[in-house]
Coordinates of all heavy atoms in Angstrom, one line a residue:
F1 N -3.6 -8.8 1.2 CA -2.6 -9.8 0.9 C -3.2 -11.3 1.5 O -3.1 -12.2 0.7 CB -1.3 -9.5 1.6 CG -0.3 -10.5 1.4 CD1 0.4 -10.7 0.1 CD2 0.2 -11.4 2.3 CE1 1.4 -11.6 -0.1 CE2 1.1 -12.4 2.1 CZ 1.7 -12.5 0.9
F2 N -3.7 -11.2 2.6 CA -4.3 -12.5 3.2 C -5.4 -13.1 2.3 O -5.4 -14.2 2.0 CB -4.8 -12.2 4.6 CG -5.6 -13.4 5.1 CD1 -4.9 -14.5 5.6 CD2 -6.9 -13.4 5.2 CE1 -5.6 -15.6 6.0 CE2 -7.7 -14.5 5.7 CZ -7.0 -15.6 6.1
L3 N -6.4 -12.1 1.8 CA -7.4 -12.7 1.0 C -6.9 -13.2 -0.3 O -7.5 -14.1 -0.9 CB -8.5 -11.6 0.9 CG -9.3 -11.3 2.1 CD1 -10.3 -10.2 1.8 CD2 -10.0 -12.5 2.6
T4 N -5.9 -12.5 -0.9 CA -5.3 -12.9 -2.2 C -4.8 -14.3 -2.0 O -5.0 -15.2 -2.8 CB -4.3 -11.9 -2.6 OG1 -4.8 -10.6 -2.7 CG2 -3.7 -12.3 -4.0
K5 N -4.1 -14.6 -1.0 CA -3.4 -15.9 -0.7 C -4.5 -16.9 -0.5 O -4.5 -18.0 -1.0 CB -2.6 -15.9 0.5 CG -1.2 -15.2 0.3 CD -0.4 -16.1 -0.5 CE 0.9 -15.4 -0.9 NZ 1.5 -16.0 -2.0
E6 N -5.5 -16.5 0.3 CA -6.6 -17.5 0.6 C -7.3 -17.8 -0.7 O -7.7 -19.0 -0.9 CB -7.5 -16.9 1.7 CG -8.6 -17.8 2.0 CD -9.6 -17.2 3.1 OE1 -10.2 -16.2 2.8 OE2 -9.7 -17.8 4.1
S7 N -7.7 -16.8 -1.5 CA -8.5 -17.1 -2.7 C -7.8 -17.9 -3.7 O -8.3 -18.5 -4.5 CB -9.1 -15.9 -3.2 OG -8.0 -15.0 -3.6
S8 N -6.4 -17.8 -3.7 CA -5.6 -18.5 -4.6 C -5.6 -20.1 -4.4 O -5.3 -20.8 -5.3 CB -4.1 -18.0 -4.6 OG -3.5 -18.4 -3.5
L9 N -5.9 -20.4 -3.2 CA -6.1 -21.8 -2.9 C -7.6 -22.3 -3.0 O -8.4 -22.1 -2.2 CB -5.7 -22.1 -1.5 CG -4.2 -21.8 -1.2 CD1 -3.9 -22.0 0.4 CD2 -3.2 -22.6 -2.1
A10 N -8.0 -22.7 -4.3 CA -9.3 -23.1 -4.6 C -9.7 -24.3 -3.8 O -9.0 -25.3 -3.8 CB -9.5 -23.3 -6.0
P11 N -10.9 -24.3 -3.1 CA -11.3 -25.6 -2.3 C -11.8 -26.6 -3.5 O -12.3 -26.3 -4.5 CB -12.5 -25.1 -1.6 CG -13.1 -23.8 -2.2 CD -11.8 -23.2 -3.0
N12 N -11.5 -27.9 -3.1 CA -12.1 -28.9 -3.9 C -13.4 -29.3 -3.4 O -14.0 -28.7 -2.5 CB -11.1 -30.1 -4.0 CG -10.9 -30.8 -2.6 OD1 -11.8 -30.7 -1.7 ND2 -9.7 -31.5 -2.4
G13 N -14.0 -30.3 -4.0 CA -15.4 -30.6 -3.6 C -15.6 -31.0 -2.1 O -16.7 -30.8 -1.6
S14 N -14.5 -31.4 -1.6 CA -14.6 -31.9 0.0 C -14.6 -30.7 0.9 O -14.7 -30.9 2.1 CB -13.7 -32.9 0.3 OG -12.4 -32.3 0.3
G15 N -14.3 -29.5 0.4 CA -14.1 -28.4 1.3 C -12.6 -28.1 1.6 O -12.1 -27.0 2.0
A16 N -11.8 -29.1 1.3 CA -10.3 -29.0 1.5 C -9.7 -28.2 0.3 O -10.3 -28.2 -0.7 CB -9.6 -30.3 1.7
T17 N -8.5 -27.7 0.5 CA -7.9 -27.1 -0.7 C -7.1 -28.0 -1.5 O -6.5 -28.9 -0.9 CB -7.1 -25.9 -0.2 OG1 -6.0 -26.3 0.7 CG2 -7.8 -24.8 0.5
K18 N -7.1 -27.7 -2.8 CA -6.1 -28.6 -3.6 C -5.0 -27.7 -4.1 O -5.2 -26.9 -5.0 CB -6.9 -29.2 -4.8 CG -7.8 -28.2 -5.5 CD -8.5 -28.8 -6.7 CE -9.3 -27.8 -7.5 NZ -10.0 -28.4 -8.5
A19 N -4.0 -27.6 -3.4 CA -2.9 -26.8 -3.7 C -1.6 -27.5 -3.3 O -1.6 -28.3 -2.4 CB -3.1 -25.4 -2.9
P20 N -0.4 -27.0 -4.0 CA 0.8 -27.5 -3.6 C 1.1 -27.2 -2.0 O 0.5 -26.3 -1.5 CB 1.8 -26.7 -4.3 CG 1.0 -26.2 -5.5 CD -0.4 -26.0 -5.0
S21 N 1.7 -28.2 -1.4 CA 2.0 -27.9 0.0 C 2.6 -26.6 0.4 O 2.3 -26.1 1.5 CB 2.7 -29.1 0.6 OG 4.0 -29.1 0.1
W22 N 3.5 -26.1 -0.5 CA 4.1 -24.8 -0.1 C 3.2 -23.7 -0.1 O 3.3 -22.7 0.7 CB 5.4 -24.6 -1.1 CG 4.9 -24.4 -2.5 CD1 4.8 -25.3 -3.5 CD2 4.6 -23.2 -3.1 NE1 4.4 -24.7 -4.7 CE2 4.2 -23.4 -4.5 CE3 4.5 -21.8 -2.6 CZ2 3.9 -22.4 -5.4 CZ3 4.2 -20.8 -3.6 CH2 3.8 -21.2 -4.9
E23 N 2.1 -23.8 -1.0 CA 1.1 -22.7 -1.0 C 0.3 -22.8 0.3 O 0.0 -21.7 1.0 CB 0.3 -22.7 -2.3 CG 1.0 -22.3 -3.5 CD 0.0 -22.3 -4.7 OE1 -1.1 -22.9 -4.5 OE2 0.4 -21.7 -5.7
A24 N 0.0 -24.0 0.7 CA -0.8 -24.1 1.9 C -0.1 -23.7 3.1 O -0.5 -23.1 4.0 CB -1.3 -25.7 2.0
T25 N 1.3 -24.0 3.2 CA 2.2 -23.6 4.3 C 2.3 -22.1 4.2 O 2.2 -21.5 5.4 CB 3.5 -24.2 4.0 OG1 3.4 -25.7 4.0 CG2 4.6 -23.8 5.2
Q26 N 2.3 -21.5 3.1 CA 2.4 -20.1 3.0 C 1.1 -19.3 3.6 O 1.2 -18.5 4.4 CB 2.7 -19.6 1.6 CG 3.0 -18.2 1.4 CD 3.4 -17.9 0.0 OE1 2.8 -18.4 -0.9 NE2 4.4 -16.9 -0.2
L27 N 0.0 -20.0 3.2 CA -1.3 -19.4 3.7 C -1.3 -19.6 5.3 O -1.8 -18.7 6.0 CB -2.5 -20.1 3.1 CG -3.8 -19.6 3.7 CD1 -4.1 -18.2 3.4 CD2 -4.9 -20.4 3.1
T28 N -0.9 -20.7 5.8 CA -0.8 -20.9 7.2 C 0.0 -19.9 7.9 O -0.3 -19.4 9.0 CB -0.3 -22.4 7.5 OG1 -1.1 -23.4 6.9 CG2 -0.2 -22.6 9.0
R29 N 1.1 -19.6 7.4 CA 2.1 -18.6 8.0 C 1.4 -17.2 7.9 O 1.5 -16.5 8.8 CB 3.5 -18.6 7.2 CG 4.2 -19.9 7.6 CD 5.6 -19.9 6.9 NE 6.3 -21.0 7.2 CZ 7.3 -21.6 6.6 NH1 7.8 -20.9 5.4 NH2 7.9 -22.6 6.9
V30 N 0.8 -16.8 6.8 CA 0.1 -15.6 6.7 C -1.0 -15.5 7.7 O -1.2 -14.5 8.4 CB -0.3 -15.2 5.2 CG1 -1.2 -14.1 5.1 CG2 0.9 -15.1 4.3
T31 N -1.7 -16.5 7.9 CA -2.8 -16.5 8.9 C -2.3 -16.4 10.2 O -2.8 -15.6 10.9 CB -3.6 -17.9 8.8 OG1 -4.1 -18.1 7.4 CG2 -4.8 -18.0 9.6
K32 N -1.2 -17.1 10.6 CA -0.6 -16.8 11.9 C -0.2 -15.3 12.1 O -0.3 -14.8 13.2 CB 0.5 -17.8 12.1 CG 0.1 -19.2 12.3 CD 1.3 -20.2 12.5 CE 0.9 -21.5 12.8 NZ 2.0 -22.5 12.9
L33 N 0.4 -14.7 11.1 CA 0.8 -13.4 11.1 C -0.4 -12.4 11.4 O -0.4 -11.5 12.1 CB 1.5 -13.0 9.9 CG 2.9 -13.5 9.7 CD1 3.5 -13.0 8.4 CD2 3.8 -12.7 10.8
L34 N -1.5 -12.8 10.7 CA -2.7 -12.0 10.8 C -3.2 -12.1 12.3 O -3.7 -11.2 12.9 CB -3.8 -12.5 9.9 CG -5.1 -11.7 9.9 CD1 -4.8 -10.2 9.6 CD2 -6.1 -12.3 8.9
Y35 N -3.2 -13.4 12.9 CA -3.6 -13.6 14.3 C -2.8 -12.7 15.2 O -3.3 -12.1 16.2 CB -3.6 -15.1 14.7 CG -4.6 -16.0 14.1 CD1 -4.3 -17.2 13.9 CD2 -5.8 -15.5 13.7 CE1 -5.2 -18.1 13.3 CE2 -6.7 -16.3 13.0 CZ -6.4 -17.6 12.9 OH -7.2 -18.5 12.3
E36 N -1.5 -12.7 14.9 CA -0.5 -11.9 15.8 C -0.8 -10.5 15.7 O -0.8 -9.8 16.6 CB 0.9 -12.2 15.5 CG 1.4 -13.6 15.9 CD 2.8 -13.9 15.5 OE1 3.5 -13.0 15.3 OE2 3.1 -15.1 15.3
F37 N -1.0 -10.0 14.5 CA -1.3 -8.6 14.2 C -2.6 -8.2 15.0 O -2.6 -7.2 15.6 CB -1.5 -8.4 12.7 CG -1.8 -7.0 12.2 CD1 -0.9 -6.0 12.4 CD2 -3.1 -6.8 11.8 CE1 -1.3 -4.7 12.0 CE2 -3.4 -5.5 11.4 CZ -2.5 -4.4 11.5
I38 N -3.6 -8.9 14.9 CA -5.0 -8.6 15.5 C -4.7 -8.6 17.0 O -5.2 -7.8 17.7 CB -6.0 -9.6 15.1 CG1 -6.5 -9.3 13.6 CG2 -7.3 -9.4 15.9 CD1 -7.3 -10.5 13.0
G39 N -4.0 -9.7 17.5 CA -3.8 -9.8 19.0 C -3.0 -8.6 19.5 O -3.3 -8.1 20.5
S40 N -2.1 -8.1 18.7 CA -1.3 -7.0 19.2 C -2.1 -5.7 19.2 O -1.8 -4.8 20.0 CB 0.1 -6.8 18.4 OG -0.2 -6.5 17.1
I41 N -3.0 -5.6 18.3 CA -3.8 -4.4 18.2 C -4.9 -4.4 19.3 O -5.2 -3.4 20.0 CB -4.5 -4.2 16.9 CG1 -3.4 -3.9 15.8 CG2 -5.5 -3.1 16.9 CD1 -3.8 -4.0 14.4
E42 N -5.5 -5.6 19.6 CA -6.5 -5.8 20.6 C -6.1 -5.3 22.0 O -6.9 -4.8 22.8 CB -7.1 -7.2 20.7 CG -8.0 -7.5 19.6 CD -8.6 -8.9 19.7 OE1 -7.8 -9.8 20.0 OE2 -9.7 -9.0 19.4
V43 N -4.8 -5.4 22.3 CA -4.4 -5.1 23.6 C -4.1 -3.6 23.9 O -3.8 -3.2 25.0 CB -3.1 -5.9 24.0 CG1 -3.4 -7.4 24.0 CG2 -1.9 -5.6 23.2
L44 N -4.2 -2.9 22.8 CA -4.0 -1.4 22.9 C -5.1 -0.7 23.6 O -6.3 -1.2 23.6 CB -3.9 -0.7 21.5 CG -2.7 -1.1 20.7 CD1 -2.9 -0.6 19.3 CD2 -1.4 -0.8 21.2
D45 N -4.8 0.4 24.4 CA -6.0 0.9 25.0 C -6.8 1.7 24.0 O -6.3 1.9 22.9 CB -5.5 1.8 26.2 CG -4.7 3.1 25.8 OD1 -4.9 3.7 24.7 OD2 -3.8 3.4 26.5
N46 N -7.9 2.3 24.4 CA -8.9 2.8 23.4 C -8.3 4.1 22.8 O -8.6 4.4 21.6 CB -10.2 3.2 24.2 CG -11.0 2.0 24.4 OD1 -10.7 0.8 24.0 ND2 -12.1 2.1 25.1
T47 N -7.6 4.9 23.5 CA -6.9 6.1 22.9 C -6.0 5.6 21.8 O -6.0 6.3 20.7 CB -6.2 6.9 24.0 OG1 -7.2 7.2 25.0 CG2 -5.6 8.2 23.4
Q48 N -5.2 4.7 22.0 CA -4.2 4.2 21.0 C -5.0 3.5 19.8 O -4.7 3.8 18.6 CB -3.2 3.2 21.5 CG -2.3 3.8 22.6 CD -1.5 2.7 23.3 OE1 -2.0 1.7 23.6 NE2 -0.2 2.9 23.4
L49 N -6.0 2.8 20.1 CA -6.8 2.1 19.1 C -7.6 3.2 18.2 O -7.6 2.9 17.0 CB -7.8 1.1 19.7 CG -8.5 0.1 18.8 CD1 -7.4 -0.7 18.2 CD2 -9.3 -0.8 19.7
A50 N -7.9 4.2 18.8 CA -8.6 5.3 18.0 C -7.8 5.9 16.9 O -8.3 6.2 15.9 CB -9.2 6.4 18.9
T51 N -6.5 5.8 17.1 CA -5.6 6.4 16.1 C -5.4 5.5 14.9 O -4.7 5.8 14.0 CB -4.2 6.8 16.7 OG1 -3.5 5.5 17.1 CG2 -4.3 7.8 17.8
L52 N -5.9 4.3 15.0 CA -5.7 3.2 13.9 C -7.0 3.1 13.2 O -7.1 2.0 12.5 CB -5.3 1.9 14.6 CG -4.0 1.9 15.4 CD1 -3.8 0.6 16.0 CD2 -2.8 2.3 14.5
S53 N -7.8 4.1 13.0 CA -9.1 3.9 12.3 C -8.8 3.7 10.8 O -9.7 3.1 10.1 CB -10.0 5.2 12.5 OG -9.2 6.3 12.0
W54 N -7.7 4.0 10.4 CA -7.3 3.8 9.0 C -7.2 2.3 8.6 O -7.2 1.9 7.5 CB -5.9 4.5 8.6 CG -4.8 4.0 9.5 CD1 -4.5 4.7 10.7 CD2 -3.9 2.9 9.4 NE1 -3.4 4.0 11.3 CE2 -2.9 3.0 10.5 CE3 -3.8 2.0 8.4 CZ2 -2.0 1.9 10.6 CZ3 -2.8 1.0 8.6 CH2 -2.0 1.0 9.7
L55 N -7.2 1.5 9.8 CA -7.2 -0.1 9.5 C -8.5 -0.6 9.1 O -8.7 -1.7 8.7 CB -6.7 -0.8 10.8 CG -5.2 -0.7 11.0 CD1 -4.9 -1.3 12.4 CD2 -4.4 -1.4 9.9
T56 N -9.6 0.2 9.4 CA -11.0 -0.3 9.2 C -11.2 -0.9 7.8 O -11.8 -2.0 7.7 CB -12.0 0.8 9.4 OG1 -11.7 1.3 10.8 CG2 -13.4 0.4 9.3
P57 N -10.8 -0.3 6.7 CA -11.0 -0.9 5.4 C -10.4 -2.3 5.3 O -11.0 -3.3 4.7 CB -10.5 0.0 4.4 CG -10.5 1.4 5.1 CD -10.2 1.0 6.5
M58 N -9.2 -2.5 5.8 CA -8.5 -3.7 5.7 C -9.3 -4.7 6.6 O -9.5 -5.9 6.1 CB -7.1 -3.7 6.2 CG -6.4 -5.0 6.1 SD -5.1 -5.3 7.3 CE -5.9 -5.3 8.9
L59 N -9.8 -4.3 7.7 CA -10.5 -5.2 8.6 C -11.8 -5.7 7.9 O -12.2 -6.8 8.0 CB -10.7 -4.6 10.0 CG -9.6 -4.4 10.8 CD1 -10.0 -3.5 12.1 CD2 -8.9 -5.7 11.2
E60 N -12.4 -4.7 7.3 CA -13.7 -5.1 6.6 C -13.5 -6.1 5.4 O -14.3 -7.0 5.2 CB -14.3 -3.8 6.1 CG -14.9 -3.0 7.1 CD -15.4 -1.6 6.6 OE1 -15.1 -1.2 5.6 OE2 -16.1 -0.8 7.5
N61 N -12.4 -5.9 4.8 CA -12.0 -6.9 3.7 C -11.8 -8.4 4.4 O -12.2 -9.3 3.7 CB -10.8 -6.5 2.9 CG -11.2 -5.3 2.0 OD1 -12.2 -5.1 1.7 ND2 -10.1 -4.6 1.6
C62 N -11.2 -8.4 5.5 CA -10.9 -9.7 6.1 C -12.2 -10.4 6.6 O -12.1 -11.5 6.9 CB -9.9 -9.5 7.2 SG -8.2 -9.1 6.7
L63 N -13.2 -9.6 6.7 CA -14.5 -10.2 7.1 C -15.1 -11.2 6.0 O -15.9 -12.0 6.2 CB -15.6 -9.2 7.4 CG -15.2 -8.4 8.7 CD1 -16.2 -7.2 8.8 CD2 -15.3 -9.3 10.0
E64 N -14.5 -11.1 4.8 CA -14.9 -11.9 3.7 C -14.1 -13.2 3.6 O -14.2 -14.0 2.7 CB -14.7 -11.1 2.4 CG -15.5 -9.9 2.3 CD -15.1 -9.0 1.1 OE1 -14.6 -9.7 0.1 OE2 -15.5 -7.8 1.1
S65 N -13.2 -13.4 4.6 CA -12.4 -14.6 4.7 C -13.2 -15.9 4.7 O -14.4 -15.8 5.4 CB -11.4 -14.6 5.8 OG -10.8 -15.8 6.0
R66 N -12.7 -16.9 4.1 CA -13.3 -18.2 4.4 C -13.0 -18.9 5.7 O -13.7 -19.9 6.1 CB -12.9 -19.2 3.2 CG -13.3 -18.9 1.9 CD -12.9 -19.9 0.9 NE -11.5 -20.0 0.8 CZ -10.8 -20.3 -0.3 NH1 -11.5 -20.5 -1.4 NH2 -9.5 -20.4 -0.2
N67 N -12.0 -18.4 6.3 CA -11.6 -18.9 7.7 C -12.4 -18.3 8.7 O -12.5 -17.1 9.1 CB -10.1 -18.5 7.8 CG -9.5 -19.1 9.1 OD1 -10.2 -19.0 10.2 ND2 -8.3 -19.6 9.0
E68 N -13.3 -19.2 9.4 CA -14.2 -18.7 10.4 C -13.6 -18.0 11.6 O -13.9 -17.0 12.1 CB -15.1 -19.8 11.0 CG -16.1 -19.4 11.9 CD -17.0 -20.6 12.4 OE1 -17.0 -21.6 11.8 OE2 -17.7 -20.4 13.4
T69 N -12.4 -18.6 12.0 CA -11.6 -18.0 13.2 C -11.0 -16.6 12.8 O -11.1 -15.7 13.6 CB -10.4 -18.9 13.6 OG1 -11.0 -20.2 13.8 CG2 -9.8 -18.4 14.8
V70 N -10.6 -16.5 11.6 CA -10.2 -15.1 11.2 C -11.4 -14.1 11.2 O -11.2 -13.0 11.7 CB -9.5 -15.2 9.7 CG1 -9.4 -13.8 9.2 CG2 -8.2 -15.9 9.8
R71 N -12.5 -14.5 10.6 CA -13.6 -13.7 10.6 C -14.1 -13.3 12.0 O -14.4 -12.1 12.3 CB -14.7 -14.3 9.8 CG -14.6 -14.5 8.3 CD -16.0 -14.8 7.7 NE -16.7 -15.8 8.3 CZ -16.6 -17.2 8.0 NH1 -15.8 -17.5 7.0 NH2 -17.3 -18.0 8.6
R72 N -14.1 -14.3 12.9 CA -14.5 -14.0 14.3 C -13.6 -13.0 14.9 O -14.0 -12.1 15.6 CB -14.6 -15.3 15.0 CG -15.6 -15.4 16.1 CD -15.7 -16.8 16.8 NE -14.6 -17.5 16.8 CZ -14.6 -18.8 16.2 NH1 -15.7 -19.3 15.6 NH2 -13.5 -19.5 16.2
N73 N -12.3 -13.2 14.9 CA -11.2 -12.3 15.5 C -11.3 -10.9 14.9 O -11.2 -9.9 15.6 CB -9.8 -12.9 15.3 CG -9.7 -14.1 16.2 OD1 -10.3 -14.3 17.2 ND2 -8.7 -15.0 15.8
V74 N -11.5 -10.8 13.5 CA -11.5 -9.5 12.8 C -12.8 -8.9 13.2 O -12.7 -7.7 13.5 CB -11.4 -9.7 11.3 CG1 -11.8 -8.5 10.6 CG2 -10.0 -10.2 10.9
Q75 N -13.9 -9.6 13.3 CA -15.2 -8.9 13.7 C -15.1 -8.5 15.1 O -15.6 -7.2 15.3 CB -16.3 -9.9 13.5 CG -17.7 -9.3 13.8 CD -18.8 -10.3 13.6 OE1 -18.6 -11.4 13.7 NE2 -19.9 -9.7 13.2
R76 N -14.5 -9.1 16.0 CA -14.4 -8.6 17.4 C -13.6 -7.3 17.4 O -13.9 -6.3 18.1 CB -13.8 -9.7 18.3 CG -13.7 -9.3 19.7 CD -13.1 -10.5 20.6 NE -11.8 -10.8 20.1 CZ -11.3 -12.0 19.7 NH1 -12.2 -13.0 19.7 NH2 -10.1 -12.2 19.4
L77 N -12.5 -7.3 16.8 CA -11.7 -6.1 16.7 C -12.3 -4.9 15.9 O -12.4 -3.8 16.4 CB -10.3 -6.3 16.0 CG -9.3 -5.2 15.9 CD1 -9.0 -4.6 17.2 CD2 -8.0 -5.6 15.2
H78 N -13.0 -5.3 14.9 CA -13.6 -4.2 14.1 C -14.8 -3.6 14.9 O -14.9 -2.4 15.0 CB -14.3 -4.9 12.9 CG -14.9 -3.9 11.9 ND1 -16.1 -4.0 11.5 CD2 -14.3 -2.9 11.2 CE1 -16.4 -3.0 10.7 NE2 -15.3 -2.4 10.5
L79 N -15.6 -4.4 15.7 CA -16.5 -3.9 16.5 C -16.1 -3.0 17.6 O -16.7 -2.0 17.9 CB -17.5 -5.0 17.1 CG -18.3 -5.8 16.1 CD1 -19.0 -7.0 16.7 CD2 -19.3 -4.8 15.4
K80 N -14.9 -3.4 18.2 CA -14.3 -2.6 19.3 C -13.8 -1.2 18.6 O -14.1 -0.2 19.3 CB -13.1 -3.4 19.8 CG -12.4 -2.7 20.9 CD -11.2 -3.4 21.4 CE -10.5 -2.7 22.6 NZ -9.4 -3.6 23.1
M81 N -13.3 -1.2 17.5 CA -12.9 0.0 16.8 C -14.1 0.9 16.5 O -14.0 2.2 16.7 CB -12.1 -0.2 15.5 CG -10.8 -0.9 15.9 SD -9.8 -1.2 14.5 CE -9.1 0.4 14.1
I82 N -15.2 0.3 16.1 CA -16.4 1.1 15.8 C -16.9 1.6 17.1 O -17.3 2.8 17.2 CB -17.5 0.2 15.2 CG1 -17.1 -0.1 13.7 CG2 -18.8 0.9 15.1 CD1 -17.9 -1.1 13.1
K83 N -16.9 0.9 18.2 CA -17.5 1.3 19.5 C -16.6 2.5 19.9 O -17.2 3.5 20.5 CB -17.4 0.2 20.6 CG -17.9 0.7 21.9 CD -17.7 -0.6 22.8 CE -18.1 -0.1 24.3 NZ -17.8 -1.2 25.2
I84 N -15.3 2.5 19.9 CA -14.5 3.6 20.4 C -14.6 4.8 19.5 O -14.2 5.9 19.9 CB -13.1 3.2 20.7 CG1 -12.3 2.9 19.5 CG2 -13.0 2.2 21.7 CD1 -10.9 3.0 19.6
S85 N -15.0 4.6 18.2 CA -15.1 5.8 17.4 C -16.4 6.6 17.6 O -16.6 7.6 17.1 CB -14.9 5.4 15.9 OG -16.0 4.6 15.5
S86 N -17.2 6.0 18.4 CA -18.6 6.6 18.8 C -18.2 7.8 19.7 O -17.2 7.8 20.3 CB -19.5 5.7 19.4 OG -19.1 5.3 20.7
P87 N -19.1 8.8 19.8 CA -18.8 9.9 20.7 C -18.4 9.5 22.1 O -17.5 10.2 22.7 CB -20.1 10.7 20.7 CG -20.8 10.3 19.4 CD -20.4 8.9 19.1
A88 N -19.0 8.6 22.7 CA -18.7 8.2 24.1 C -17.5 7.2 24.2 O -17.2 6.7 25.3 CB -20.0 7.7 24.8
G89 N -17.1 6.7 23.0 CA -16.1 5.6 22.9 C -14.9 5.8 23.7 O -14.4 4.9 24.5
L90 N -14.2 6.9 23.6 CA -13.0 7.2 24.3 C -13.1 7.3 25.7 O -12.2 6.9 26.6 CB -12.2 8.4 23.7 CG -11.6 8.2 22.3 CD1 -11.0 9.5 21.8 CD2 -10.6 7.1 22.2
D91 N -14.4 7.8 26.1 CA -14.6 7.9 27.6 C -14.6 6.5 28.3 O -14.4 6.5 29.5 CB -15.9 8.7 27.8 CG -15.8 10.1 27.5 OD1 -14.7 10.6 27.5 OD2 -16.9 10.7 27.4
S92 N -14.9 5.5 27.6 CA -14.9 4.1 28.2 C -13.6 3.6 28.7 O -13.5 2.6 29.3 CB -15.6 3.1 27.2 OG -14.7 3.0 26.1
N93 N -12.5 4.4 28.4 CA -11.2 4.1 28.8 C -11.0 4.6 30.2 O -10.1 4.2 30.9 CB -10.2 4.7 27.8 CG -9.0 3.7 27.7 OD1 -9.1 2.5 27.8 ND2 -7.9 4.2 27.2
Q94 N -11.9 5.4 30.6 CA -11.8 6.0 32.0 C -12.5 5.2 33.0 O -13.5 4.6 32.7 CB -12.3 7.5 32.0 CG -11.5 8.4 31.0 CD -12.1 9.7 30.9 OE1 -13.1 10.1 31.6 NE2 -11.6 10.5 30.0
P95 N -12.2 5.2 34.3 CA -13.0 4.7 35.3 C -14.3 5.2 35.4 O -14.6 6.4 35.2 CB -12.2 4.9 36.7 CG -10.8 5.3 36.2 CD -11.0 5.9 34.8
E96 N -15.3 4.4 35.7 CA -16.7 4.9 35.8 C -17.0 6.2 36.6 O -17.6 7.0 36.1 CB -17.7 3.8 36.4 CG -17.9 2.6 35.6 CD -18.7 2.8 34.4 OE1 -19.6 3.7 34.4 OE2 -18.5 2.3 33.3
N97 N -16.4 6.3 37.7 CA -16.6 7.5 38.7 C -15.9 8.7 38.2 O -16.2 9.7 38.7 CB -16.1 7.1 40.0 CG -14.6 6.8 40.2 OD1 -14.0 6.8 39.2 ND2 -14.2 6.5 41.4
S98 N -15.0 8.7 37.1 CA -14.4 9.9 36.7 C -15.1 10.5 35.4 O -14.7 11.5 34.9 CB -12.9 9.6 36.4 OG -12.7 8.7 35.2
R99 N -16.1 9.7 34.9 CA -16.8 10.2 33.8 C -17.7 11.3 34.1 O -18.3 11.3 35.2 CB -17.6 9.1 33.1 CG -16.7 8.1 32.4 CD -17.5 7.1 31.8 NE -16.6 5.9 31.5 CZ -17.1 4.8 31.1 NH1 -18.4 4.6 31.0 NH2 -16.3 3.8 30.9
T100 N -17.9 12.3 33.3 CA -18.9 13.4 33.5 C -19.8 13.5 32.4 O -19.7 13.0 31.4 CB -18.1 14.7 33.6 OG1 -17.4 14.9 32.4 CG2 -17.4 14.8 34.8

């Protein structure tokens, strides 16, 4: 949904978008929702985050965003999800001295 909204606002020659203000406002609101969504997922512990692997395709799509901040936040979360999906990933939620 986010990428559809973003791509509907074609940039003009200066890099700014040429769109009605309501469309730009709508994209701003959707972007803020995406930031909140990513933020709420990032605070989950690794065990909880591992159950959300189904989000990976959506996150990969968001890496195509023109918005650098969105790309950076999505990439950070995506890398965290990849890390915990590795064989030792869930063990990283435990204290160092309790790992075997």
Side-chain angles (χ1 to χ4, degrees):
F1 181 74
F2 170 75
L3 289 178
T4 303
K5 284 289 174 201
E6 184 182 59
S7 63
S8 72
L9 299 177
N12 63 24
S14 69
T17 59
K18 51 180 179 181
S21 63
W22 66 270
E23 286 183 349
T25 300
Q26 193 175 34
L27 178 61
T28 300
R29 289 180 180 162
V30 170
T31 302
K32 286 180 182 180
L33 285 172
L34 183 59
Y35 290 153
E36 289 177 24
F37 177 70
I38 291 169
S40 65
I41 292 173
E42 282 184 318
V43 298
L44 298 174
D45 66 36
N46 289 353
T47 304
Q48 293 170 318
L49 195 56
T51 65
L52 299 176
S53 61
W54 55 270
L55 284 173
T56 302
M58 184 212 57
L59 293 173
E60 289 171 349
N61 286 338
C62 287
L63 290 172
E64 299 173 21
S65 171
R66 292 184 300 211
N67 183 316
E68 184 179 345
T69 305
V70 167
R71 285 194 316 266
R72 213 176 23 240
N73 289 337
V74 168
Q75 185 175 29
R76 184 178 59 240
L77 177 58
H78 188 244
L79 290 173
K80 182 177 179 181
M81 291 180 81
I82 289 171
K83 180 182 174 187
I84 66 157
S85 67
S86 70
L90 288 177
D91 287 340
S92 65
N93 218 24
Q94 300 173 3
E96 288 292 325
N97 58 1
S98 67
R99 293 185 195 164
T100 54

